[in-house]
Each structure stands twice: as C-alpha cells, then as structure tokens.
Amino acid sequence: MEQKFSNNSIDLQVLREFCEREGEAVSYRKGDQMEREGDPSRWLGFVTDGCFKYVTHGISDDREHITWFSFAGEFVGDYPHCLFGRPAQATLEAMMPSRVLRVTGEQMLQMFRQNMQTMELRSVIDEHLLSQTQARYVDLHCATAHERYELLLRRCPGIVHHLALQDLASFLCVTPNYLSTIRKDITFEAKK
C-alpha cells in the first residue's frame, strides 16, 4: 500500500535502520493486536507491509473509536508510553495481514541515550507527534465533517479503497450513514 496517512516531514531513517538492525520481524493476521488498550505498552515498529488502526473505547458507551492509522512505510506504536511500559492508550490492531520490524521501548530508550544525535531524534519525534496531534485536534474542532473527509482524502489519496466505511466514519467522528451522504455529495459535486 503506497498511500501514507500523513506527509512525514521528518527524516526517520535512523529509526527505521535501528528497527531493521535490532528488531524482530513479526507478522500479524487481520485482527491481531500489537498492543491492547490498558495493558503495559511495549512495542514500537516499522510497518513493512499492511496497516494498523488505533482503537480506543468510549467511557460510557464502550464503542470503538478509531483515532489513528499506521501504513506500510510508517511507524506503529503507542509512543511514548512504550518507552516506559505505561498502559497503552489504544489497541493497535492489524487491518489486514501485516508485517512489522519491532523493537521494545526499552531498546528505544537505550538507543536514544547513545549520543546527542539520537537524543535530538527523540526530541524531533516528540515534536512531530505533538504537531500531528494538534492538527487532528484543530481539524475536529474547526472543520466540518465534509471538510475533514476532504482533508483525509488529500492527506491519503486512496485510503477509501483500503478501509471499512465504519472505520473511516469513526475516525472522522461521524456515523457511517452520514459519511455515505458526504461521499454522495462529493460525487454529485464532481459530476457538475
């Protein structure tokens, strides 16, 4: 799958090479969990094939809420919780057969402590994740559902061919029926 969820503006080659050199190759079947919400988080990995969804559960309704995706060519993990074995904030679930080069959070901490360059990498990763989280937060508060869907399509062309309607709807914080209406509106607008 060539589509990326986000346009990564940072160079994570050092981290990818670390996962390739020190990590173990782990295959996941569709539905397998890399981490489970509430359990100690342990893993960070580079996705070589497939994709993962980040699932959290509602407080009062216990419904699944999709909060993020990681695709081939990206990293997957409950960072920074995995560095310290803190409870995972999401379940990381394979959406199709997937392969990950995974390392432990403990291995990551040891790598970060090696020298100033790797310590700076940790800082860059933290800043990048904060920036992504802030953009998502702003999108949820300032963009309509229709605008959020269009932003998602711009960020990840072709995502609709790989994900179930209910997963996309959950990520966009709309019902599947409303997402279908948005899709019809976009199709109708394109035909004008």
Side-chain angles (χ1 to χ4, degrees):
M1 186 176 325
E2 294 185 23
Q3 294 82 14
K4 301 281 190 276
F5 176 68
S6 62
N7 295 325
N8 253 339
S9 59
I10 61 173
D11 181 10
L12 295 175
Q13 188 63 28
V14 171
L15 188 54
R16 178 183 177 165
E17 289 170 359
F18 177 75
C19 289
E20 290 171 344
R21 185 177 62 253
E22 302 292 330
E24 63 176 328
V26 179
S27 295
Y28 294 90
R29 295 179 310 246
K30 180 179 179 177
D32 284 352
Q33 298 174 350
M34 182 172 151
E35 298 280 17
R36 189 171 59 204
E37 183 179 14
D39 288 352
S41 180
R42 303 178 316 186
W43 308 108
L44 181 97
F46 180 76
V47 182
T48 58
D49 296 298
C51 64
F52 288 79
K53 63 182 175 181
Y54 292 58
V55 181
T56 60
H57 291 85
I59 295 170
S60 60
D61 61 7
D62 201 40
R63 287 184 326 149
E64 285 191 353
H65 300 274
I66 310 301
T67 59
W68 203 252
F69 301 103
S70 289
F71 296 101
E74 297 179 337
F75 291 90
V76 62
D78 194 349
Y79 185 91
H81 300 101
C82 68
L83 298 178
F84 307 103
R86 292 183 188 136
Q89 300 299 298
T91 296
L92 311 180
E93 182 180 316
M95 298 179 64
M96 60 182 56
S98 302
R99 188 170 179 268
V100 175
L101 300 172
R102 102 183 165 184
V103 294
T104 66
E106 199 173 293
Q107 286 175 289
M108 290 294 306
L109 271 178
Q110 290 172 2
M111 189 266 293
F112 287 145
R113 292 177 178 148
Q114 286 178 359
N115 56 48
M116 188 55 101
Q117 181 185 9
T118 56
M119 191 57 89
E120 286 175 6
L121 174 64
R122 181 178 178 182
S123 181
V124 168
I125 292 168
D126 292 346
E127 290 168 6
H128 181 71
L129 290 173
L130 180 60
S131 176
Q132 284 183 326
T133 302
Q134 185 178 18
R136 172 110 167 100
Y137 182 82
V138 168
D139 287 351
L140 287 171
H141 286 276
C142 298
T144 67
H146 191 279
E147 291 167 336
R148 290 195 305 273
Y149 183 67
E150 288 179 331
L151 284 168
L152 180 62
L153 293 180
R154 277 198 299 267
R155 289 176 184 155
C156 187
I159 192 171
V160 296
H161 304 296
H162 300 289
L163 303 178
L165 179 72
Q166 66 267 18
D167 288 342
L168 285 171
S170 175
F171 180 76
L172 295 169
C173 297
V174 298
T175 66
N177 287 341
Y178 190 58
L179 180 55
S180 291
T181 301
I182 292 170
R183 288 171 142 179
K184 286 176 191 172
D185 290 346
I186 289 173
T187 302
F188 180 73
E189 288 171 9
K191 290 181 179 181
K192 285 184 179 180

